[in-house]
Amino acid sequence: MNFASVRIITDDLDRLVKFYEKVLGVSAERPAPVFAEIVLKSCTLAIGHSQTVPLFGTGSAIAASNHTVIIEFRVHNVDAEYERLKPFIDEWVKEPTTMPWGNRAMLFRDPDGNLVNLFEPVTEEAIKRFSCRVDG
């Protein structure tokens, strides 16, 4: 089994797609007016309009209501990404900080309130832990 993607449901597809294109530096693919995918080497971030929810089951997802999942992306330099994104991000949760598990991380919210973490392994143990994973 392979992990395929994470999908965010939103009421404003264009706004969220533009946000993640800016953060990730990749253009989205738009196979349908109500759906977009940002394909990275390591994962795919799918973004669907709330109009798609009935296809999965009425009420199965609610836009802008996530308070449990953190969407995480490994980067090469968290501090450089912080400087690049500082003027663009409206809600910072944590400025670059080295975490107890060896990653340097920063957290912010996307326009729908989803928590996003950009991180880089910085300790020897963390670097070793990520050494065999796909480099995005």
Side-chain angles (χ1 to χ4, degrees):
M1 186 178 306
N2 290 315
F3 188 81
S5 68
V6 168
R7 184 179 312 206
I8 301 171
I9 298 296
T10 183
D11 290 331
D12 192 338
L13 185 71
D14 291 334
R15 177 188 67 174
L16 210 56
V17 168
K18 287 177 187 171
F19 176 85
Y20 279 102
E21 286 177 330
K22 175 83 170 174
V23 169
L24 300 175
V26 176
S27 294
E29 298 173 12
R30 299 287 295 261
V34 293
F35 182 71
E37 292 181 314
I38 299 176
V39 179
L40 304 172
K41 185 176 171 182
S42 60
C43 67
T44 297
L45 179 62
I47 305 172
H49 194 280
S50 55
Q51 295 169 345
T52 65
V53 171
L55 299 171
F56 304 110
T58 302
S60 60
I62 300 169
S65 63
N66 171 35
H67 289 90
T68 60
V69 174
I70 303 172
I71 303 163
E72 299 184 308
F73 298 95
R74 184 168 40 142
V75 299
H76 293 289
N77 186 324
V78 164
D79 294 292
E81 291 295 327
Y82 175 72
E83 291 302 321
R84 179 179 73 87
L85 295 172
K86 198 172 4 178
F88 174 70
I89 301 298
D90 290 331
E91 186 178 348
W92 289 97
V93 175
K94 171 86 59 191
E95 294 182 356
T97 303
T98 301
M99 304 304 243
W101 45 89
N103 292 338
R104 188 152 175 80
M106 64 179 184
L107 290 98
F108 53 89
R109 295 202 182 274
D110 74 14
D112 279 4
N114 298 299
L115 192 56
V116 180
N117 176 23
L118 301 188
F119 74 94
E120 70 173 302
V122 293
T123 65
E124 186 177 329
E125 296 82 17
I127 292 168
K128 183 177 178 183
R129 190 170 62 248
F130 283 93
S131 66
C132 64
R133 298 183 191 182
V134 174
D135 195 13

